Amino acid sequence: MTLSSAPGLPVFQNVTANTPRSGTRAGHTRIEHDLLGEREVPDEAYWGIHTLRAMENFQISGTTLSAFSDLVCALAYVKQAATCANRQLEILSADKADAILKACAEIIAGEWHEQFVVDVIQGGAGTSTNMNANEVIANRALELLGHRRGQYLLLHPIEDVNASQSTNDVYPTALRVALCFSIGRLLEAMAGLRLAFETKAVEFDDILKMGRTQLQDAVPMTLGQEFRTYAIMLGEDELRLREAMALICEINLGATAIGTGINTDPDYADLACAALAEQTQLPLIRAADMVEATQDTGAFVQVSGVLKRIACKLSKTCNDLRLLSSGPQAGLGEINLPARAAGSSIMPGKVNPIIPEVVNQIAFEVIGNDVTITMASEGGQLQLNAFEPIMGWSLFKSISHLRAGCLTLTHNCVAGITANRELLEQRVRASAGLATALNPYIGYENATSIARDALSSGRGVAELVLERKLLTEAQLQDILRPEVLTRPYRVRHSRRS
């Protein structure tokens, strides 16, 4: 069916594609009312008039809440916890509470997510999201009780499903729960990528190469050391992300409008928070000061900052992979990335580093999302920040895309990297940078002279050292071992002694 929208905005076509259930009439409507008056709602829809108005008001991103299953499930978990507390406090009757709990359980199990139809970017501090959840849960609960959708005198979206709650504690709590779920999967993907780099580090531990600073030859290292660095950087970021995750486990459920807990039983907040922690199996704790917690979005900024850190370091790693694999003939050509696709419509045989390139682009997006989250947090006023929807949207995108980037980098790139061993070892012998490693054995003046002559003549450092009889062939071979060149080593017989 077609629903009219505000002037100048496109109309919604086929706003619900759900198969009508028993007792509904496809193509028919029911009448619902709110503060602004009455509206027709599709009879087969589980959402109601508040959701309808939000659909008309917020035609922004084209992405609805249903695209974020973690958030939809988190909303159901919050409603479930609130209902448990309300039943225990006898605010809700047992039959109403049981129906609401069953409806929430179905949503947590993956049902009815398509009914969450509000755009993720919305005004109202998330009120439309909360209303969408209230209406879907209420109408499904009514069905479970044997009633028709919209018969709110029997079980009401606000009076019953939203009892003891406000958007201002439901929405931020649901965001935090959903972020915990999403971050958990990102951490798993990061651990997989770290393991892939660690595996390559072991494989490449005996391969000598030249390290570089400022893109110039520096001193020898092993390719294993280079790849182990990428693994360590990821491990450090996993720790930072876990620390940031701990911050968002502090919730304000029970704060209601501004943190004072108005319209709740004195025991409600503790009961609801405890129920939510138990149901989600997350280390959630009630905020010490609910007024502060209701307006403070610093934890979202902290998480975003860590995501930006991860993005920066992943992007740097991908820059390195692209540079090290550049060529194959006219670049560095030290490693080979797996060929994933033809690289050009005009240049035969060209293969591009497409997997690192896509991760670079994810990093650019995450850094931009961090700016959005920073400005949204700064824009809060007095007892509430109305801009949490854009923070949630930006955080979910950053987490989801970083996870996908880690997975594709692991399986489509790092796992298949190979090394050009002979080329790397040849460059070590030829590089003037080798003179630095020989400095303890031949002295600074000799090393400087050798380096200068190597650069001007194009001859190898090892060749010049042997020609000048500064070291014997046996001595040189002993020195050019990875365990001597790539880590601290006690020099017992130096030229200077």
Side-chain angles (χ1 to χ4, degrees):
M1 85 179 273
T2 301
L3 297 177
S4 61
S5 61
L9 292 176
V11 296
F12 282 98
Q13 301 289 337
N14 299 320
V15 293
T16 179
N18 306 304
T19 302
R21 292 177 64 88
S22 176
T24 65
R25 299 168 299 164
H28 290 74
T29 61
R30 63 179 185 264
I31 301 297
E32 295 193 13
H33 71 275
D34 64 359
L35 172 69
L36 303 183
E38 293 186 344
R39 290 294 301 272
E40 293 184 3
V41 175
D43 204 21
E44 63 266 27
Y46 283 80
W47 43 264
I49 187 170
H50 294 96
T51 302
L52 172 61
R53 294 198 191 278
M55 294 167 68
E56 295 173 346
N57 289 332
F58 306 127
Q59 300 176 43
I60 309 300
S61 71
T63 302
T64 64
L65 298 171
S66 62
F68 296 92
S69 60
D70 284 337
L71 180 57
V72 173
C73 289
L75 287 162
Y77 271 119
V78 170
K79 297 297 176 181
Q80 192 177 63
T83 299
C84 286
N86 284 326
R87 180 173 62 179
Q88 187 171 343
L89 295 169
E90 299 183 349
I91 294 168
L92 281 178
S93 63
D95 59 336
K96 284 185 177 182
D98 287 344
I100 293 171
L101 291 175
K102 288 176 183 176
C104 290
E106 291 178 352
I107 293 170
I108 292 167
E111 296 188 64
W112 318 117
H113 285 211
E114 77 282 353
Q115 297 291 326
F116 288 76
V117 293
V118 177
D119 197 295
V120 289
I121 301 179
Q122 57 193 252
T127 296
S128 296
T129 294
N130 187 34
M131 291 296 198
N132 195 165
N134 289 334
E135 290 173 339
V136 172
I137 293 168
N139 280 308
R140 179 56 185 147
L142 282 168
E143 276 190 338
L144 291 168
L145 290 170
H147 308 303
R148 291 178 59 84
R149 295 173 212 156
Q151 292 185 303
Y152 297 146
L153 290 176
L154 302 173
L155 191 150
H156 199 277
I158 298 176
E159 298 284 356
D160 298 315
V161 179
N162 199 63
S164 307
Q165 302 154 63
S166 163
T167 293
N168 301 345
D169 62 341
V170 167
Y171 189 79
T173 297
L175 271 186
R176 289 164 186 261
V177 169
L179 286 170
C180 285
F181 294 155
S182 298
I183 289 171
R185 286 194 295 276
L186 172 56
L187 285 167
E188 290 175 0
M190 290 174 66
L193 179 57
R194 171 172 48 80
L195 180 60
F197 277 121
E198 288 172 351
T199 300
K200 285 297 167 182
V202 173
E203 180 183 339
F204 298 153
D205 259 340
D206 65 335
I207 301 178
L208 271 177
K209 63 160 289 179
M210 288 304 300
R212 296 179 179 86
T213 58
Q214 295 161 278
L215 295 181
Q216 307 300 303
D217 292 1
V219 296
M221 66 185 304
T222 68
L223 190 59
Q225 287 175 318
E226 193 161 39
F227 272 69
R228 188 166 288 107
T229 295
Y230 303 141
I232 292 170
M233 289 196 300
L234 275 164
E236 290 177 345
D237 284 349
E238 289 175 64
L239 293 176
R240 301 293 83 75
L241 189 54
R242 291 185 188 280
E243 291 168 359
M245 186 176 173
L247 294 178
I248 62 173
C249 285
E250 182 183 273
I251 59 174
N252 74 328
L253 187 59
T256 62
I258 63 170
T260 61
I262 191 172
N263 293 346
T264 65
D265 184 280
D267 295 328
Y268 168 79
D270 286 334
L271 290 173
C273 289
L276 187 60
E278 180 180 356
Q279 291 158 6
T280 60
Q281 294 297 293
L282 294 172
L284 304 173
I285 59 170
R286 175 187 170 180
D289 189 303
M290 296 288 234
V291 175
E292 179 274 333
T294 302
Q295 63 186 273
D296 183 10
T297 56
F300 297 144
V301 176
Q302 182 79 3
V303 170
S304 181
V306 174
L307 296 175
K308 180 176 73 171
R309 169 184 166 139
I310 295 168
C312 287
K313 292 164 73 172
L314 269 181
S315 191
K316 187 272 180 190
T317 297
C318 287
N319 293 341
D320 287 359
L321 295 178
R322 291 192 293 115
L323 190 58
L324 292 171
S325 65
S326 60
Q329 282 85 22
L332 294 185
E334 296 187 352
I335 61 174
N336 308 298
L337 305 185
R340 301 300 304 179
S344 174
S345 61
I346 190 173
M347 293 172 278
K350 192 170 189 291
V351 177
N352 295 325
I354 58 174
I355 303 303
E357 285 174 350
V358 77
V359 177
N360 284 134
Q361 292 175 81
I362 291 169
F364 305 154
E365 179 196 30
V366 172
I367 293 166
N369 290 339
D370 181 64
V371 175
T372 298
I373 293 161
T374 300
M375 296 308 299
S377 180
E378 183 276 337
Q381 297 165 319
L382 303 178
Q383 279 68 59
L384 182 68
N385 188 306
F387 308 121
E388 286 184 347
I390 195 68
M391 294 188 220
W393 159 256
S394 300
L395 285 166
F396 288 132
K397 285 193 300 179
S398 291
I399 293 168
S400 174
H401 293 174
L402 279 174
R403 175 180 179 269
C406 287
L407 291 173
T408 195
L409 191 59
T410 300
H411 301 295
N412 294 330
C413 184
V414 176
I417 291 175
T418 58
N420 294 320
R421 180 185 295 264
E422 293 78 12
L423 175 64
L424 289 167
E425 293 179 352
Q426 175 189 340
R427 285 178 175 170
V428 171
R429 286 183 169 272
S431 173
L434 185 59
T436 301
L438 297 178
N439 184 32
Y441 305 92
I442 65 176
Y444 180 79
E445 293 297 334
N446 283 329
T448 301
S449 176
I450 289 289
R452 182 177 61 245
D453 290 352
L455 288 171
S456 62
S457 68
R459 299 171 67 189
V461 166
E463 179 185 353
L464 291 170
V465 167
L466 292 174
E467 181 181 277
R468 297 187 188 186
K469 298 182 179 179
L470 296 172
L471 292 170
T472 66
E473 177 72 33
Q475 288 174 320
L476 190 60
Q477 290 302 320
D478 185 61
I479 294 169
L480 295 182
R481 290 179 293 137
E483 58 267 32
V484 176
L485 289 180
T486 63
R487 55 183 64 98
Y489 188 78
R490 179 167 296 163
V491 180
R492 299 186 183 280
H493 302 289
S494 120
R495 183 82 174 183
R496 294 171 291 176
S497 58

